[in-house]
Amino acid sequence: MNLNNRSKGAHGERIAIKYLSDKGYELLDMNYWVKFGEVDLIMLHGEFIVFVEVKMRWDCDKGWPVEAVTPKKQKNIRQVANIYWQMGQWKNKQPRFDVIEIIKYEQNKTAIRHIVNAF
């Protein structure tokens, strides 16, 4: 599958939304963007508002998808999440940062790993 990075990201986000929705998560927002960063998915799950970074690869030649969530990326996600959380509507929820790692392999096979409280 020859998709550009934006299309790959959107595809991975759709997979992650389905996966999380099936586990009882509710989508609040997606691709929430401010000038210094973006959060892929913002989900509600029980007492938590969950800020989710989605990483997808078609192979692991350059490492596991989660390895792309560098300390700098984590800092940016935290800053964006703080702005979202400060809006007030979700202050009664505990913030949490998860990573969804997706690996597409062979024909139509997908492996998903949900890393809860990843950072």
Side-chain angles (χ1 to χ4, degrees):
M1 185 181 290
N2 189 10
L3 300 172
N4 65 36
N5 286 344
R6 188 171 207 86
S7 294
K8 286 180 184 178
H11 181 63
E13 289 162 0
R14 286 190 301 275
I15 292 169
I17 290 168
K18 167 104 174 71
Y19 174 85
L20 291 169
S21 294
D22 288 349
K23 300 223 176 282
Y25 288 68
E26 177 187 343
L27 179 65
L28 298 176
D29 215 329
M30 102 186 263
N31 303 119
Y32 181 77
W33 185 87
V34 296
K35 66 181 177 179
F36 50 80
E38 176 187 29
V39 173
D40 292 332
L41 305 175
I42 302 173
M43 310 288 288
L44 194 59
H45 189 244
E47 66 194 56
F48 295 98
I49 181 168
V50 186
F51 300 92
V52 182
E53 179 67 10
V54 179
K55 290 295 180 188
M56 187 168 78
R57 299 282 187 269
W58 266 258
D59 60 53
C60 292
D61 291 346
K62 295 180 182 176
W64 293 97
V66 72
E67 293 173 1
V69 187
T70 63
K72 181 180 181 197
K73 179 79 170 166
Q74 292 173 22
K75 180 182 175 187
N76 288 347
I77 292 169
R78 281 191 188 101
Q79 289 176 323
V80 174
N82 188 51
I83 290 170
Y84 189 89
W85 190 75
Q86 289 293 326
M87 291 189 313
Q89 184 177 0
W90 305 109
K91 283 190 172 183
N92 64 331
K93 299 292 182 182
Q94 184 71 25
R96 191 178 82 204
F97 301 91
D98 292 4
V99 173
I100 294 286
E101 181 180 68
I102 302 168
I103 301 170
K104 299 283 282 182
Y105 61 99
E106 293 181 13
Q107 184 110 19
N108 299 321
K109 291 191 179 180
T110 303
I112 300 171
R113 182 168 70 142
H114 181 190
I115 304 162
V116 175
N117 208 19
F119 56 92

